[in-house]
Amino acid sequence: MRPTIDSLKLPMTTRFCLRTLAVLALALTMSACSLFGHKRDNIDTMPVDALYNNAHTSLENADYSAAIKAYQRLIARFPSGDYNEQAQLELAYAQYKDSQSDDAYSTVNRFIKTYPANRHVDYAYYLRGLINFDRTTGFMDRVSRDKKAQSRRDQAYNLQAFDDFAELSRRFPNSAYAADARQRMIYLRNVLAQYEINVAEFYLFNRIYIGAADRAQYVIEHYQQAPQTGDALAILTRSYLALGQDKQADQVRKVLALNYPEHPYLKDAKWPHEVSIWRKMVPFARHH
C-alpha cells in the first residue's frame, strides 16, 4: 500500500520546531555577515577619533601590524589635523617596534621635515636616534649579549645615531629625552673608539705601522674622553718605535704614563698581543 500525503506530514510540534530553528539560523547568518562586514569595513568608515583610538589601542597591545595598518589608513583618509600629526609619529614608533627600520626612519624624517614646530618633535629626533642605534646590533649579538660586537661591525649607523642624539641635545637641551640621549652618545663614543682601536691593532699586527699610527692618532684627537685613549697612546708608541721615530715614541709614552699609569703596555712592551692562530679558528672568537 502506497503512503498517502497525510501520512508523510510531520507532526505539528516538529514542524514548528524546525521553522523556529530555520528562522534562528537565518538570523544568526545575517548577524554574522553584518558583524564580519562591519569588522572588515569599519577602518574605512569610522570617524577620525575612533580610528585613532583603534590604532593606539593596537599599539598599546603590541599588535604592531594592526596598528601600522590603522595609522596608515588614518593618514590617508584624514591628511591634515592633530590626529594626522600624532598618527605619523606613532606610526614611526610602531614600525620601529615591528623591526621595519627603513620605513620607520623614512616616516620619522618626514614628520620632522613636515612638522618642525610640533610639540613632540623632540621625541621624533630621539626616536630617529633609537632607530639607527638599534640597526648595528645583529641577532647573534642579542643572543650572546656580546657588548663588544658593535665595535666589530660597520659604524655608519652608529655614527648617524650619535649625530641624531647630538642634534636632539643641541636643539632641545631641556627635553625629557636629552639625558638618555647623552648617555647613549657616551656609549656610542666608546664603541666608535673601540672600532678604531680594532683597526689600529690589525694594522699593527700586519706591520702597517703608518696606518696603525694614523688610527691611534684619530682616537686621541676625536675621542679624548673615551677609555680607549690609553690603548691608542700605547699603539702610537709602538708604531713610532717600529718606524724608527724614537723621540716621538718617548714623548707619547710619557703622556701614557702620566694619564694611564696602570696601563698594561707600561709593564709589557709587546702589548697588545696578537690573537693566536688557534684562537682565530674558534668560531665567534675575538677578531679584527
Side-chain angles (χ1 to χ4, degrees):
M1 179 178 177
R2 295 171 61 186
T4 64
I5 294 176
D6 288 340
S7 67
L8 292 175
K9 289 182 179 180
L10 295 172
M12 183 65 68
T13 303
T14 304
R15 279 185 288 168
F16 176 78
C17 292
L18 289 175
R19 287 176 183 174
T20 303
L21 289 173
V23 171
L24 288 174
L26 180 61
L28 289 172
T29 301
M30 294 178 67
S31 298
C33 290
S34 175
L35 178 62
F36 291 136
H38 178 69
K39 285 186 176 180
R40 182 176 64 252
D41 299 331
N42 64 5
I43 197 171
D44 293 322
T45 59
M46 64 173 55
V48 62
D49 55 342
L51 181 52
Y52 172 78
N53 290 334
N54 177 289
H56 191 73
T57 299
S58 296
L59 183 65
E60 289 184 328
N61 292 331
D63 188 354
Y64 302 121
S65 179
I68 290 169
K69 182 178 179 181
Y71 284 129
Q72 289 175 333
R73 196 72 193 105
L74 186 154
I75 293 167
R77 288 183 57 206
F78 306 97
S80 62
D82 293 339
Y83 281 107
N84 179 286
E85 293 185 30
Q86 188 64 23
Q88 288 194 42
L89 191 56
E90 293 184 18
L91 170 62
Y93 178 76
Q95 291 169 329
Y96 161 65
K97 294 297 289 184
D98 202 38
S99 300
Q100 300 181 24
S101 300
D102 290 340
D103 291 339
Y105 190 73
S106 296
T107 301
V108 77
N109 262 341
R110 184 165 55 251
F111 178 88
I112 291 171
K113 291 178 181 178
T114 308
Y115 308 109
N118 185 280
R119 61 193 182 97
H120 297 305
V121 73
D122 60 329
Y123 174 74
Y125 281 101
Y126 177 69
L127 178 58
R128 186 170 69 173
L130 287 181
I131 293 167
N132 283 316
F133 183 84
D134 287 348
R135 285 194 191 197
T136 308
T137 304
F139 172 75
M140 289 303 301
D141 303 336
R142 291 191 289 269
V143 172
S144 65
R145 297 182 180 179
D146 183 357
K147 294 182 179 180
K148 294 183 178 180
Q150 277 199 332
S151 67
R152 296 195 293 265
R153 295 180 178 273
D154 180 82
Q155 297 301 300
Y157 289 131
N158 280 341
L159 284 166
Q160 185 60 57
F162 187 93
D163 290 343
D164 292 333
F165 291 133
E167 187 169 6
L168 166 65
S169 300
R170 183 175 64 254
R171 288 175 177 265
F172 308 97
N174 298 320
S175 168
Y177 309 102
D180 184 74
R182 285 189 284 268
Q183 289 299 313
R184 291 177 185 271
M185 287 173 66
I186 293 172
Y187 171 81
L188 288 169
R189 177 204 65 192
N190 296 344
V191 169
L192 293 166
Q194 186 59 52
Y195 175 81
E196 297 296 332
I197 291 298
N198 290 346
V199 177
E201 289 182 2
F202 173 83
Y203 286 145
L204 186 67
F205 298 150
N206 288 277
R207 298 182 176 85
I208 309 174
Y209 300 117
I210 294 178
D214 287 344
R215 291 286 183 158
Q217 188 67 44
Y218 185 87
V219 173
I220 295 167
E221 292 177 357
H222 292 85
Y223 307 114
Q224 294 181 4
Q225 297 180 332
Q228 290 81 4
T229 303
D231 296 346
L233 289 167
I235 293 172
L236 186 58
T237 301
R238 282 194 58 178
S239 299
Y240 279 151
L241 287 173
L243 292 168
Q245 299 180 18
D246 295 349
K247 183 177 180 180
Q248 290 91 328
D250 184 60
Q251 291 174 345
V252 175
R253 191 181 188 284
K254 288 179 180 178
V255 174
L256 174 63
L258 180 64
N259 291 277
Y260 302 91
E262 300 299 323
H263 195 277
Y265 175 76
L266 299 173
K267 298 178 181 180
D268 179 5
K270 293 184 178 181
W271 186 97
H273 296 277
E274 185 173 10
V275 177
S276 69
I277 187 63
W278 302 110
R279 181 70 183 279
K280 290 180 180 179
M281 295 174 65
V282 178
F284 307 113
R286 179 179 174 224
H287 61 280
H288 303 283

